[in-house]
Amino acid sequence: MNDIHGNNGSLGHARGIGDLLDVAVGRAVPVVRALPDACLEAATPCAEFDVKTLVNHLFQVMEQFQRLAAKQDSDFTESADRVAEGPDWRERFGEEARKLVAAWSAPGAEEGTTGAMNMPAATVGSMVLLDLTVHIWDLARATGQEYVPEGEALAVVERLAGTVAELAPTARSMGVFGEAVPEPAGASAFERLLAATGRDPRWAAPVS
């Protein structure tokens, strides 16, 4: 496997998961805040999810990965409808995202192993970083918002490129990633990342 945790002087490897999650969350929360209720049933690039079910999935991910950061057991069979719990779901998403950042910023969060598969904690942290990046792009793309990583977010993309390269064979066999799709000509690093997870970087919402 590629060593995605070594210090090779690159931006994504020099920063901890908590720091990178803070950057990703800073870009994710405005996208979620701008999701209109009228688009909750809209299709997303992640074919099995519409906008509402993808938001609920991200709530589940954030809650369970807080437990994983603390080396506690997780339960991904839970599937609560957080959006239906009240009109303040956008604010609650932001609160949960900040809790996630705090959990992975805690001393020792990236050390040792965690989860039922006893994976390296740093790899598990990179997995939630991936969700809070590519799934936010899914939501943005589905609702006509721009989501182009730049500045500090390029360190997130760099870290995730190593994560996807490491996890892709297993993730594809489990149906977590789709088959890689051809990269568009002149693809950016982020577009290459999307293509590696089975997403078409030029995906457009179906015309109704």
Side-chain angles (χ1 to χ4, degrees):
M1 289 186 178
N2 296 329
D3 181 2
I4 67 170
H5 317 304
N7 183 3
N8 62 5
S10 59
L11 292 175
H13 291 70
R15 303 172 70 168
I17 291 296
D19 188 19
L20 294 174
L21 272 173
D22 188 46
V23 173
V25 163
R27 297 179 62 82
V29 168
V31 171
V32 173
R33 189 179 297 131
L35 295 175
D37 287 338
C39 289
L40 288 175
E41 296 182 3
T44 76
C46 195
E48 64 267 35
F49 294 118
D50 62 15
V51 168
K52 180 182 177 182
T53 54
L54 185 50
V55 171
N56 280 327
H57 171 69
L58 285 172
F59 266 108
Q60 178 194 46
V61 164
M62 292 189 296
E63 292 162 0
Q64 296 306 320
F65 273 84
Q66 289 174 52
R67 298 179 61 84
L68 290 169
K71 309 300 190 292
Q72 298 174 357
D73 292 336
S74 59
D75 181 5
F76 286 93
T77 64
E78 299 176 0
S79 55
D81 188 348
R82 301 300 185 197
V83 173
E85 290 176 357
D88 63 339
W89 57 268
R90 298 170 185 84
E91 290 73 21
R92 284 185 281 112
F93 184 96
E95 293 167 3
E96 208 63 51
R98 287 187 285 276
K99 291 178 185 177
L100 179 72
V101 173
W104 283 96
S105 300
E110 289 188 60
E111 298 174 4
T113 61
T114 191
M117 297 176 67
N118 287 319
M119 294 179 67
T123 300
V124 173
S126 292
M127 290 165 64
V128 71
L129 181 64
L130 182 64
D131 267 19
L132 264 293
T133 302
V134 297
H135 279 323
I136 295 301
W137 177 86
D138 291 333
L139 291 172
R141 200 72 174 177
T143 55
Q145 300 184 57
E146 288 293 324
Y147 186 86
V148 180
E150 54 191 4
E152 285 190 311
L154 294 176
V156 174
V157 174
E158 181 182 359
R159 176 66 174 252
L160 293 179
T163 301
V164 170
E166 178 181 3
L167 298 179
T170 300
R172 290 197 182 102
S173 69
M174 296 174 64
V176 177
F177 292 173
E179 290 299 320
V181 303
E183 300 169 2
S188 66
F190 184 54
E191 288 174 326
R192 292 194 296 273
L193 176 69
L194 293 171
T197 66
R199 288 165 170 79
D200 178 359
R202 303 296 165 87
W203 185 93
V207 177
S208 57

